[in-house]
Amino acid sequence: MSLYSIGEVARICGINPVTLRAWQRRYGLLKPQRTEGGHRLFNDDDLDTIRTILGWIERGIPVGQVKSLLEGRVEALSGDWSESEHRLLTALQKGQNQKVRQVITELGREYPAAALVDNVFRPLRARLNPGDHRLRTLRSLFDGLVIEHAVMCMNAARKRPGLRAVVLGWGVIDTAELWLEAIVRCEEGMQVEVLPAPLEDPHLENLLCDRIYVWAEGKLTQIERLRMAQWVEQGLTIILLGSASVLLAAEAGSHEEAEDVPFDDPTIVPLHKFKEK
C-alpha cells in the first residue's frame, strides 16, 4: 500500500495541511503513521477516509460530529452550516471583533477553504445585505475581518513553493469576492496577489504570474471579448470568475455541438482556452 506525506495528501485531496492536522489532533479523525523523524505518513485508506469526511462536510455535517459517523455510532443526517454562520453573526452583533477573528481562524483550520467560503462566508454576507443600514455596517465590519484573514493566508502561502496567481476585478464588482477567492486559491497552494480596486480597462501584460483570475459580472461585451482574446493570444492564463463566467459557459455549451465554430473570431472566446484545468 502506498504511503503519502501530508503535503502529497493535501495536493491529492485539495485540502490544507493545517486542516488535516486539526482533524487529527483535535478530533481524532485520522491516525497517520510516523516516520522515524516524526513526519506523518498516510496510506490509501486514509485518503478514502479524508474523501468521506469532505463529503460529509459538504453536506453541512459539523466536523465535531464526523468521528461518530466514521465509527458508525450514528446515522449520517443532512446537516447545515447555520451553526457556524450563527456563531459569527452573534459575535458581530455583540461587537466582539476578536471573537469573530477567533471563529474565522478556527473554521479555517477545520474546514476546506472552498466549503467555508461557499457555505458560511458568502451566505452570511448575503444575510447582512438588506436595506437595513445597521446590517450593512456589520457586513462591512465582517468584510474587513475576512480581508485580514485572507492576508494571513496569503502571507503563509508565500512561505511555500507554488504557482503565482493574481486576482483582480474587471468593471463593477463586489470587491470582497476577490479576497474570498484569494483564501480559496491559497489553500490550493498558490502564492496570491490581490488587486483590490476594480479595473475598468485592465492591462495584464506586465503581471508576472502563472495565472490571472478575473472576476467580472454580467455578459461580456464585444469589446471585453476582444480584450479577453488578446490576453489569450499573448499567452496569459486567464480564469474568468463571477457571473460573467457562468454566462459565458452557458453560451459555450449552446455551441459545443455546432460545426465550424469560428474560434479565430476575436468576438468569440472559446471557454476552454482560459478556464481552469
Side-chain angles (χ1 to χ4, degrees), residues 203-206 227-237:
H203 286 260
L204 309 182
E205 56 274 9
N206 293 325
R227 176 58 63 86
M228 187 74 75
Q230 290 172 340
W231 290 335
V232 172
E233 289 300 320
Q234 291 169 4
L236 301 177
T237 301

Side-chain angles (χ1 to χ4, degrees), residues 150-171:
V151 171
M152 292 176 59
C153 294
M154 292 160 64
N155 287 334
R158 293 190 188 103
K159 298 176 182 178
R160 305 184 297 267
L163 295 177
R164 295 169 299 171
V166 172
V167 180
L168 62 92
W170 191 6

Side-chain angles (χ1 to χ4, degrees), residues 123-168:
L124 178 55
R125 295 188 72 248
R127 186 173 177 179
L128 295 174
N129 193 36
D132 188 313
H133 292 293
R134 179 173 173 274
L135 292 180
R136 298 194 70 171
T137 299
L138 289 179
R139 188 174 88 152
S140 183
L141 173 60
F142 179 63
D143 285 351
L145 296 172
V146 166
I147 291 172
E148 184 180 299
H149 178 70
V151 171
M152 292 176 59
C153 294
M154 292 160 64
N155 287 334
R158 293 190 188 103
K159 298 176 182 178
R160 305 184 297 267
L163 295 177
R164 295 169 299 171
V166 172
V167 180
L168 62 92

